[in-house]
Amino acid sequence: MENISKMSSTEKRFTGTLFAREEADALFWADVEKFVRGVNRLKQGTRLTQNQFDALVSFSFNCGLGALERSTLLKKVKRNPNDPTIEDAFKAYRYVNKVENAG
């Protein structure tokens, strides 16, 4: 059994605690589920492809649901999920403290 260190974004914090892979996976998917529910709430009936939905879940997982809720990105997606300028809206979040993050 492989042990990995995991910090969960759920209410409990497990800094430096070792988990079996299965336990870490369960914590990860519990975290992801929170963002899935949040994106479902925020998209308010907008029809999205699975890839579009997954991209918003990934964005919110990394930047937070509040950032998605306030974003131009979400406004563009809700107006027209196939708007080609959505790519630029995603790219606006590649900076950390005004420095481009290599990813």
Side-chain angles (χ1 to χ4, degrees):
M1 178 169 10
E2 178 182 351
N3 287 321
I4 57 177
S5 181
K6 170 78 172 120
M7 166 135 359
S8 172
S9 70
T10 57
E11 294 302 313
K12 296 178 184 175
R13 300 291 183 183
F14 302 101
T15 307
T17 303
L18 292 179
F19 292 90
R21 174 157 307 275
E22 295 79 18
E23 293 170 299
D25 287 347
L27 286 170
F28 171 76
W29 288 112
D31 284 351
V32 169
E33 182 58 33
K34 177 177 84 172
F35 296 99
V36 167
R37 285 191 311 270
V39 169
N40 273 320
R41 178 180 55 82
L42 292 173
K43 73 180 186 77
Q44 298 176 341
T46 304
R47 295 182 60 86
L48 303 173
T49 66
Q50 188 65 55
N51 287 343
Q52 291 166 328
F53 181 81
D54 292 348
L56 293 177
V57 170
S58 177
F59 177 93
S60 63
F61 184 88
N62 288 289
C63 297
L65 284 165
L68 179 62
E69 187 170 22
R70 295 183 303 274
S71 71
T72 301
L73 168 64
L74 183 63
K75 290 178 181 87
K76 287 177 179 264
V77 167
K78 288 168 74 173
R79 194 173 24 227
N80 175 7
N82 298 310
D83 179 346
T85 66
I86 289 171
E87 181 180 351
D88 295 330
F90 269 106
K91 288 179 180 178
Y93 287 87
R94 69 182 183 269
Y95 296 94
V96 177
N97 297 323
K98 300 182 182 179
V99 175
E100 189 170 2
N101 184 348

